[in-house]
Amino acid sequence: MSTNLQSFPGTWVRYTPGQRLLRFALYLLFVLAIVQSLRSIDVIPEFLYDAPAQMGDLLQRMWPVSWRSFPGSIQKALIETLHMATMGTILAVILAVPVGLAVANNLTPNRAVNFVARFILVSSRSINSLVWALLFIAIFGPGPLAGTIAIAFRSIGFIGKLLGEAIEDAHRGPIEALTATGASKGSIIAYGYWPQIRPAFWSIVLLRWDINVRESAVLGLVGAGGIGMALNSAMDLFQWDKVSLILLLIFAIVIVAEVVITRARKTLL
């Protein structure tokens, strides 16, 4: 059975000439970006060929792990890392909640206040935690205080943005009912918004604490306290057996934090 192609009114074309030209231009830009990136990286072929041998030598120096080095400074640095992540998260929540309330259009219908709050959130997220740490090291000096405040300022944007979005997604029914009764703004937040955003709030806080545990482990590389300072010191002294111990401890912290977060979410949410 044959099909009469003339019965179809038009010819199917996958891409128009303009679309094909645009796709070609995008592919060309992508290739040019890769070529320019490879040129700017300045890869030294001798080092690249020698990398497997150097990696093998490094792994050999890192084994066996120096477990006897754990009691003392490394144990203290590990505990300090957890304290930095916890205190930084608590401080971030205290600072981010007012900003999150101010950025929500349905709760704070003031464009000027919304703009200022959004500017704070964007500023917090746009600066990396290591840069925040360097800034606060210059103010407070090296140590866990600078790292804790850096974690807090980095977390404000994350917590405030997600909290504001949760508030904006809240159902209007309970809010309108409370408003009709003449309830105050605090009562509307406590009895109208909070029951709806509570699961999202705890999920955001727990997730941010999990992220902060990871970040606090590396802030010490710039002198902001925690186990990162012990890692940096061991690398500077070529104590590779201690380096392997610290890397294993960081991995263990991440795993334990993941387990704690999972159980806490099941309990609170």
Side-chain angles (χ1 to χ4, degrees), residues 178-216:
L178 288 169
T179 304
T181 62
S184 63
K185 180 70 73 173
S187 298
I188 293 175
I189 295 174
Y191 300 105
Y193 286 102
W194 173 245
Q196 299 186 61
I197 68 171
R198 180 172 54 194
F201 173 79
W202 287 116
S203 179
I204 293 166
V205 172
L206 292 173
L207 176 60
R208 190 63 220 185
W209 180 79
D210 186 26
I211 296 172
N212 288 340
V213 169
R214 292 167 169 80
E215 292 194 349
S216 61

Side-chain angles (χ1 to χ4, degrees), residues 5 16 26 33 62 66 69-70 73 85 100 117 121 142 151 191 209 211 233 264:
L5 296 178
T16 64
L26 292 176
M62 295 172 69
S66 180
S69 302
F70 176 72
S73 60
L121 298 181
I151 288 173
Y191 300 105
W209 180 79
I211 296 172
S233 176

Side-chain angles (χ1 to χ4, degrees), residues 5-177:
L5 296 178
Q6 294 180 353
S7 61
F8 294 96
T11 303
W12 180 80
V13 179
R14 184 177 183 184
Y15 296 113
T16 64
Q19 290 175 331
R20 288 197 294 268
L21 180 62
L22 179 60
R23 287 169 60 86
F24 175 77
L26 292 176
Y27 289 142
L28 180 61
L29 289 175
F30 182 70
V31 172
L32 291 177
I34 294 176
V35 172
Q36 185 62 27
S37 299
L38 293 175
R39 292 179 59 187
S40 61
I41 290 176
D42 192 18
V43 177
I44 301 176
E46 291 79 6
F47 290 173
L48 187 62
Y49 298 148
D50 192 42
Q54 295 295 333
M55 178 63 70
D57 179 67
L58 182 60
L59 293 176
Q60 186 176 3
R61 292 172 184 268
M62 295 172 69
W63 186 264
V65 179
S66 180
W67 298 105
R68 65 182 183 277
S69 302
F70 176 72
S73 60
I74 295 180
Q75 181 181 8
K76 181 181 177 182
L78 180 63
I79 297 174
E80 189 175 79
T81 296
L82 296 175
H83 289 171
M84 286 170 52
T86 303
M87 294 304 300
T89 304
I90 293 173
L91 181 59
V93 171
I94 295 173
L95 297 175
V97 167
V99 183
L101 297 176
V103 80
N105 293 323
N106 55 343
L107 182 60
T108 309
N110 187 307
R111 289 193 173 184
V113 176
N114 294 152
F115 175 80
V116 173
R118 199 170 300 279
F119 176 80
I120 294 173
L121 298 181
V122 171
S123 301
S124 171
R125 297 198 312 274
S126 62
I127 301 177
N128 189 271
S129 57
L130 290 174
V131 179
W132 279 119
L134 290 171
L135 175 63
F136 288 114
I137 286 173
I139 298 174
F140 300 106
L145 177 61
T148 301
I149 299 177
I151 288 173
F153 272 70
R154 171 65 172 172
S155 304
I156 290 174
F158 181 92
I159 297 174
K161 175 179 173 57
L162 296 181
L163 179 61
E165 292 177 352
I167 294 173
E168 290 179 343
D169 292 338
H171 295 294
R172 293 295 305 169
I175 313 302
E176 293 175 352

